[in-house]
Amino acid sequence: MSNKNKGPAKKSLVGWIFEFAGQKKRQYLTSVFFAILSVACCIAPYLMIARIVRQLMEGVRDWKLFLAESTVVALFWLGNVLFHAISTGLSHIATFNLLGNIRKRMCDKLTRLPLGTVLDMPSGSLKNIMVERIDSMETTLAHIVPEYTSNILLSLVLIVYLFVVDWRLALACLGVLPIGVIAMSFMFKDAAARFKFALDKTKVLNDTAVEYINGIEVIKAFGKSKASYERFVIAAKEGSDCYVEWMRDCIWPHAVATVVTPSLLLSLLPIGGFMFLRGNVAPSTFVTVIILAVCAIQPFLIAFSYHDDIAKAGAIFDEVGSVMSLKDLDRPASDAKKPLDNSIVLKDVHFSYHKVGEVSPCASSKDSATPSAGDTPATPPEILHGISMTLPQGSYTAFVGPSGSGKSTIARLIASLWDADSGSIEIGGVNIKDLSLKEYNSRVAYVSQDNFLFDMSIRENIRLGREGATDADVEEVARQSGCYDFIMSLEKGFDTLVGGSGTHLSGGERQRIAIARAMMKDAPIVILDEATAYTDPENEAIIQKSVAKLVAGKTLIVIAHRLSTVKDADKIYVIKDGVIDSCGSHEELLAKNGLYTNMWNAHIGSRDE
């Protein structure tokens, strides 16, 4: 069965909660139950006090009875504290599990998306959603589910009870509510749109901050700190202004709603007093309604205080849903048939850059011209125009061509990092879209010039190539890849932490670790995208030797700008403007005296200089 996208549609907050709560749904329901008991124990003393007042007004003077009833009030208070603690504890456990599930699901989703889709997302925005925004929902979700539900329910129960006691006085209590409701309607007008606008401005601020920090070296080197910092200041001001303007528009409706809504006695006392003086209501009933009116509105106000948090949580869940609904790579969960060998065939492959979420989205690559943000045309330009080629098993194939020709794009399509718009790519006679990602990934090792190292030890970075590899396996691969000596020269050897993205190592050292990791994988198809781009001439020979061991007997694809590194390839494809300009061996291409010859002469001339 194919990998279907189960992107969440528009849901209520409760729908989102149960979408991600997993096995903790029961704990949420249990926390609601105990929250109802807690609020009931909070309201019950008011009812007991109303009972005591009625007894006093009726002339009862039994102090033992009053002592017993006061003891019941104290027990209800203890019950309120106990049940609230249980409810809050259960809801927090469920909430932490829910937030963990959201992050796990999002991380898993990113592994199933085309590479271009992920790279098209600004890292600041993505990090902000997965860390700060999701984390900001903890307090809201831990309290909303039990307390909002229980307070609304019990507030309605008390209002119904008021009508049972005396429907005329109950209507008198609700006389001020229309004013509060009108004020609230002004306060919550366009709340969802305003909060989304605020989130968008916060995204811009995060992205600008990340760009400023990442580019600080260039900013300092070229003296552009003023202009770059000014962009950050503008983003920060716009980020704060949207919240300030929102609060300014809401301050008066909020003041009216919070002052008038709780004041049920404003209408109850004059109307009820008039009815009492006319003899239309008993004194005990009037006092009882007054006490119930005081306690009936409190649960409603508590629930009302969560309304803003509910809107924010809903907007954050919508952001999560927008990521979860992006189109996955179209791959089956299991393989209908296995490839016969490790040959590669491309048939009439077309490919275009798309916006995030569209078919075959793609980010910028080293050799492809990507439309700039905000300048993307409605119909994205096609980058590859009917590419067809056959790479036999065990062959050595090179892609060369001018920058922006589409070399790396072809390699990354073969590596299944993106999906072609049309045409097919086959491994051993099987379309790669009919192979599971697990099966395909076991067959392909991809080494680019921008290989990423995780912030952990060198040993663990190499071990990522094969799960379960022993320390001896790691060290042997390091010897074969020619990086054992430089690793052992480090203070902690294989246990040296490489830093974020491998920043504690030089570019050449990171590249050698990446090649060692690819050797550990031992995949039958190897794709090298400028594998020696960051190496000096002294280390290039070492890497070339390690690459030779890595690719022995395998199907090899190399993307290169330095033509001298691929002149021994079985076949060289010259790519120009997204089409195959020519192909053949080094000698055959030179004999054609075409684009390859010009590139070779330019390369030799540059090298000689």
Side-chain angles (χ1 to χ4, degrees):
M1 187 175 69
S2 34
N3 233 354
K4 301 291 182 187
N5 286 304
K6 298 181 180 178
K10 184 74 174 178
K11 295 179 182 171
S12 65
L13 182 61
V14 174
W16 282 120
I17 290 172
F18 281 93
E19 167 81 15
F20 292 107
Q23 298 178 348
K24 301 299 181 180
K25 294 186 183 76
R26 182 172 297 179
Q27 283 186 299
Y28 268 130
L29 295 175
T30 306
S31 74
V32 171
F33 171 74
F34 280 105
I36 291 173
L37 292 180
S38 172
V39 177
C41 288
C42 182
I43 292 175
Y46 288 95
L47 302 179
M48 291 299 300
I49 292 170
R51 174 186 173 88
I52 292 171
V53 170
R54 285 199 308 270
Q55 290 171 339
L56 288 172
M57 293 178 69
E58 292 168 359
V60 177
R61 298 294 183 269
D62 188 346
W63 298 109
K64 290 184 179 180
L65 174 63
F66 294 146
L67 180 61
E69 291 176 336
S70 299
T71 302
V72 172
V73 170
L75 290 176
F76 276 126
W77 180 84
L78 290 174
N80 171 45
V81 174
L82 176 63
F83 293 138
H84 181 268
I86 295 173
S87 171
T88 303
L90 290 172
S91 64
H92 274 83
I93 292 172
T95 296
F96 284 124
N97 183 81
L98 179 145
L99 299 182
N101 285 343
I102 295 174
R103 290 188 172 116
K104 289 176 184 176
R105 293 264 299 270
M106 287 192 72
C107 288
D108 182 57
K109 178 69 177 182
L110 293 180
T111 65
R112 301 195 309 272
L113 292 174
L115 175 67
T117 302
V118 179
L119 295 182
D120 247 0
M121 302 177 192
S123 58
S125 297
L126 196 57
K127 174 256 184 187
N128 191 246
I129 293 172
M130 295 183 69
V131 182
E132 285 87 358
R133 296 250 172 86
I134 291 176
D135 193 59
S136 70
M137 293 194 294
E138 181 268 321
T139 302
T140 300
L141 297 182
H143 292 277
I144 276 180
V145 175
E147 296 179 20
Y148 183 84
T149 307
S150 58
N151 280 285
I152 284 290
L153 177 62
L154 285 169
S155 187
L156 292 175
V157 168
L158 280 173
I159 290 174
V160 170
Y161 185 63
L162 275 173
F163 276 90
V164 171
V165 173
D166 192 297
W167 66 270
R168 298 166 300 174
L169 294 178
L171 288 176
C173 287
L174 303 180
V176 297
L177 283 186
I179 300 174
V181 170
I182 293 172
M184 289 179 199
S185 66
F186 278 105
M187 188 169 67
F188 293 127
K189 182 182 179 183
D190 301 325
R194 284 177 178 269
F195 186 64
K196 185 180 184 306
F197 179 72
L199 289 181
D200 291 340
K201 289 297 182 182
T202 306
K203 284 181 186 178
V204 173
L205 175 58
N206 275 280
D207 296 339
T208 306
V210 170
E211 181 185 41
Y212 181 77
I213 294 168
N214 289 341
I216 194 68
E217 182 178 355
V218 176
I219 291 169
K220 287 180 175 293
F222 291 93
K224 298 296 183 182
S225 57
K226 182 178 179 180
S228 301
Y229 187 68
E230 185 178 355
R231 288 185 58 208
F232 176 76
V233 170
I234 292 172
K237 186 176 186 305
E238 289 179 349
S240 63
D241 284 351
C242 62
Y243 284 104
V244 171
E245 291 172 7
W246 187 6
M247 294 302 107
R248 186 184 293 121
D249 291 342
C250 292
I251 189 167
W252 285 110
H254 180 267
V256 172
T258 53
V259 170
V260 173
T261 306
S263 306
L264 300 185
L265 298 183
L266 284 176
S267 55
L268 173 63
L269 290 180
I271 296 174
F274 178 76
M275 293 175 64
F276 171 72
L277 293 175
R278 295 286 299 271
N280 294 330
V281 62
S284 59
T285 300
F286 188 26
V287 171
T288 299
V289 171
I290 291 174
I291 294 173
L292 289 177
V294 171
C295 70
I297 200 63
Q298 192 61 33
F300 174 76
L301 291 177
I302 292 174
F304 167 74
S305 68
Y306 287 121
H307 190 280
D308 195 38
D309 293 324
I310 291 173
K312 292 178 181 178
I316 294 171
F317 271 122
D318 286 342
E319 283 194 311
V320 172
S322 68
V323 175
M324 298 298 293
S325 62
L326 293 173
K327 182 177 175 59
D328 293 350
L329 279 170
D330 186 16
R331 298 294 183 271
S334 58
D335 306 304
K337 58 181 179 179
K338 299 284 186 181
L340 299 175
D341 54 27
N342 295 300
S343 62
I344 303 171
V345 177
L346 281 72
K347 298 179 180 178
D348 193 30
V349 171
H350 292 256
F351 181 74
S352 305
Y353 292 107
H354 293 259
K355 296 178 182 178
V356 170
E358 294 179 338
V359 180
S360 275
C362 176
S364 60
S365 67
K366 296 289 178 296
D367 63 342
S368 305
T370 309
S372 60
D375 193 35
T376 306
T379 302
E382 189 171 80
I383 303 303
L384 301 180
H385 318 291
I387 298 293
S388 297
M389 59 177 65
T390 299
L391 288 60
Q393 175 173 286
S395 63
Y396 172 12
T397 305
F399 298 154
V400 301
S403 294
S405 60
K407 304 183 301 296
S408 291
T409 301
I410 296 173
R412 293 182 180 186
L413 288 175
I414 294 173
S416 196
L417 300 180
W418 299 313
D419 271 336
D421 294 343
S422 63
S424 66
I425 302 174
E426 296 180 356
I427 300 290
V430 179
N431 192 313
I432 63 172
K433 292 185 178 182
D434 296 328
L435 294 174
S436 65
L437 286 176
K438 181 178 180 181
E439 168 65 23
Y440 196 83
N441 289 337
S442 69
R443 290 179 173 270
V444 179
Y446 181 78
V447 182
S448 75
Q449 57 180 303
D450 295 320
N451 273 288
F452 183 88
L453 299 184
F454 290 92
D455 187 14
M456 51 190 183
S457 69
I458 292 176
R459 187 188 308 279
E460 293 307 315
N461 269 286
I462 296 176
R463 204 195 305 271
L464 288 173
R466 187 176 78 238
E467 186 178 355
T470 65
D471 290 350
D473 293 334
V474 171
E475 292 173 14
E476 178 58 29
V477 164
R479 288 188 179 91
Q480 293 178 14
S481 62
C483 57
Y484 182 85
D485 291 338
F486 101 76
I487 292 174
M488 294 307 296
S489 68
L490 300 173
E491 183 179 358
K492 295 184 180 180
F494 281 87
D495 295 320
T496 301
L497 295 177
V498 303
S501 303
T503 51
H504 293 173
L505 304 177
S506 69
E509 289 170 341
R510 290 197 298 271
Q511 201 70 27
R512 290 158 73 180
I513 296 297
I515 290 173
R517 183 169 61 193
M519 290 182 71
M520 176 65 77
K521 186 175 183 180
D522 195 27
I525 298 173
V526 178
I527 301 174
L528 303 178
D529 188 353
E530 287 293 325
T532 60
Y534 294 130
T535 58
D536 51 45
E538 182 180 352
N539 287 317
E540 184 173 1
I542 298 175
I543 291 182
Q544 292 288 3
K545 289 180 181 179
S546 62
V547 167
K549 294 179 182 179
L550 167 65
V551 303
K554 304 179 187 298
T555 303
L556 173 64
I557 300 171
V558 176
I559 297 91
H561 288 288
R562 285 184 248 178
L563 301 187
S564 58
T565 62
V566 296
K567 65 185 184 67
D568 295 326
D570 299 328
K571 182 174 284 190
I572 301 173
Y573 285 90
V574 183
I575 311 299
K576 180 183 179 183
D577 297 331
V579 297
I580 298 174
D581 177 81
S582 55
C583 65
S585 66
H586 173 69
E587 290 76 13
E588 291 170 345
L589 289 172
L590 286 178
K592 293 180 181 179
N593 199 28
L595 175 60
Y596 183 82
T597 304
N598 295 335
M599 292 173 60
W600 176 258
N601 291 335
H603 170 67
I604 295 299
S606 174
R607 189 176 66 175
D608 290 343
E609 289 180 12

